[in-house]
Amino acid sequence: MTYKDESRIEVYGHGGDIETAEATFGRRAASFLDFSANINPLGPPADVITVLQESLPAVIRYPDPGHRRFKDLLSTRIGIARERLMAGNGAAECMALLLLGLSPKVVGVVDPCFSEYRELSFKFGADVRSITGHSGQDWRAGRDQVIELVQACDLLFLGQPNNPNGVQYDLDDIRAIAEAAERKKTWLVLDEAFIDFIPPEHRHTLLPELHRYRQTVIIRSMTKFYAIPGLRLGYTVGHPDVIRAMAAKQVSWSVNGLALLAGEACLGSGEAYERRTQELIRTQREQLAEGLRAAGFVVAPSEVNYLLVEVPYPWSAAAFQQELGTRGVLIRSCAMYPGLGPQHIRVAVKDAEANATLLAVVHEVMDGV
Ligand SMILES: Cc1ncc(COP(=O)(O)O)c(C=O)c1O
């Protein structure tokens, strides 16, 4: 059988594109089990759904353009002063506002990485300089290599943990990179979109010491951990001057009223939901990785809710995605990531039932059923 590369579903460069999947595989949207986007399998906290239902009549009002209640709650929750916080329409808008507000000429990225670092840089007129992580270091780049890149760019995006490989840099490495960024006056953007999936005691975050690094900015997403990608919400933590530069470029009301209310409910959802998510992801990730390895796949280590996987030869990511897609299971091809190859896919970690279905369908495909 031959497989066309153009059958892939990442026409917009991302997973989770159910419309394209419907058209490509000829199935109804609701019939897909989607492992191509990395969303908390528990769904949003129950309070968030209640708040959204009760708040629907409030859509007749404009949202607060200053995001004040959300920022007050966030400030208390993460222990950061309000003037160092900025809400965005997803982490993606925060990235765009950083590029618009700081106008870097050269942006640095470490491949493989989230495609928007490059895409947004090009959209806003910056050149991109890249280095590639090493497969032997779970696709991280070496500290010296990253510091060299800091010297060669005005702004550097670094995933912490990185997507698609799901691992963190050591905190000592991050500190050394942040210090190099201070000296060179390069902006260091730490993308912590997935860090909430890691239990607090295992997180390598610069957040508590961020005030020491004027050039370093942290971006976080609320869409993955709290399962609200359709609502859009993220935030930035940084020096007040950076926050002001970003705010000057933000379209008024870009963060909608329901997203702000949902965000407030997420922040109030409590430790039990967080712990339950982190524990579910840890146990399910181990089981899913084990099941995939037993089926002949190479699975890279991960600390979060997705796994970077190599399909066994002669399979390719495109062929595998197509075979699974026709059976109603969506996975992310990573063949188009600079630094990775035609064999690479990424799968989300979901709950036990969904993961068991994925493994069953994987076996079906491998056995040619
Ligand atoms: C590493 C990374 N950062 C940021 C984002 C964007 O997150 P948001 O949905 O909050 O815009 C994504 C989305 O896939 C991502 O993978």
Side-chain angles (χ1 to χ4, degrees):
M1 196 181 304
T2 55
Y3 299 93
K4 288 198 225 128
D5 248 4
E6 61 265 31
S7 70
R8 66 189 173 84
I9 51 175
E10 295 83 9
V11 291
Y12 287 93
H14 298 291
D17 183 350
I18 295 289
E19 299 243 342
T20 302
E22 266 190 309
T24 306
F25 302 120
R27 301 177 64 107
R28 280 182 307 106
S31 74
F32 286 109
L33 200 47
D34 186 7
F35 288 84
S36 73
N38 308 314
I39 304 303
N40 187 340
L42 291 180
D47 286 356
V48 172
I49 299 296
T50 309
V51 163
L52 286 172
Q53 281 165 342
E54 288 173 355
S55 307
L56 278 179
V59 297
I60 61 164
R61 288 199 298 270
Y62 275 92
D64 172 16
H67 321 130
R68 284 162 288 194
R69 268 214 326 256
F70 173 73
K71 281 201 297 193
D72 280 345
L73 276 172
L74 183 61
S75 168
T76 310
R77 185 69 202 278
I78 66 172
I80 299 284
R82 202 169 92 172
E83 63 271 19
R84 292 180 165 269
L85 299 174
M86 160 106 204
N89 186 317
E93 192 198 21
C94 298
M95 290 169 198
L97 293 174
L98 272 168
L99 293 167
L100 285 167
L102 302 175
S103 308
K105 289 197 174 59
V106 181
V107 170
V109 302
V110 180
D111 288 317
C113 63
F114 182 46
S115 60
E116 290 291 337
Y117 303 158
R118 232 187 209 93
E119 291 300 315
L120 287 168
S121 301
F122 290 146
K123 273 180 191 165
F124 298 127
D127 284 336
V128 173
R129 250 340 125 80
S130 62
I131 57 172
T132 305
H134 310 288
S135 57
Q137 292 174 32
D138 307 328
W139 302 101
R140 292 179 197 87
R143 179 198 289 196
D144 293 346
Q145 227 188 329
V146 181
I147 289 177
E148 236 173 81
L149 183 59
V150 165
Q151 307 306 325
C153 66
D154 309 310
L155 183 149
L156 171 70
F157 282 113
L158 201 61
Q160 178 70 350
N162 195 49
N163 181 5
N165 49 328
V167 292
Q168 303 178 89
Y169 283 85
D170 287 345
L171 200 47
D172 281 347
D173 289 338
I174 295 289
R175 284 194 189 106
I177 295 163
E179 276 155 24
E182 289 300 305
R183 288 191 295 271
K184 161 70 175 41
K185 295 273 174 277
T186 292
W187 299 106
L188 171 63
V189 181
L190 297 170
D191 177 2
E192 296 188 346
F194 289 97
I195 207 160
D196 289 338
F197 287 96
I198 301 175
E201 62 276 19
H202 298 306
R203 282 179 207 160
H204 302 167
T205 177
L206 218 51
L207 189 74
E209 49 194 289
L210 197 64
H211 54 276
R212 289 198 211 136
Y213 302 99
R214 187 181 182 280
Q215 296 293 132
T216 297
V217 174
I218 290 177
I219 291 180
R220 287 189 176 171
S221 171
M222 312 247 333
T223 72
K224 292 127 193 341
F225 189 80
Y226 295 103
I228 50 167
L231 266 182
R232 321 292 307 124
L233 189 61
Y235 60 90
T236 306
V237 188
H239 190 278
D241 290 347
V242 176
I243 298 298
R244 271 191 292 274
M246 293 172 76
K249 298 292 179 184
Q250 191 171 36
V251 173
S252 299
W253 312 297
S254 75
V255 185
N256 75 75
L258 291 177
L260 287 170
L261 288 168
E264 289 159 26
C266 290
L267 292 172
S269 63
E271 218 178 296
Y273 171 86
E274 286 165 29
R275 286 283 172 190
R276 208 149 60 87
T277 301
Q278 289 153 4
E279 187 54 20
L280 175 77
I281 293 302
R282 186 184 65 77
T283 53
Q284 288 308 313
R285 183 179 60 234
E286 283 167 13
Q287 280 182 27
L288 183 58
E290 210 177 286
L292 289 168
R293 284 190 189 112
F297 294 72
V298 178
V299 183
S302 164
E303 299 176 78
V304 284
N305 61 326
Y306 48 86
L307 294 166
L308 179 61
V309 177
E310 266 179 80
V311 300
Y313 189 80
W315 284 100
S316 67
F320 211 69
Q321 182 184 66
Q322 178 154 336
E323 289 296 328
L324 262 65
T326 55
R327 291 166 172 83
V329 173
L330 302 178
I331 56 163
R332 171 75 155 98
S333 167
C334 292
M336 70 294 284
Y337 275 79
L340 296 179
Q343 240 84 18
H344 282 104
I345 61 168
R346 193 195 63 208
V347 292
V349 175
K350 295 169 88 78
D351 61 20
E353 195 186 338
N355 295 342
T357 304
L358 171 66
L359 287 175
V361 175
V362 162
H363 280 286
E364 212 179 285
V365 168
M366 304 282 284
D367 296 344
V369 179

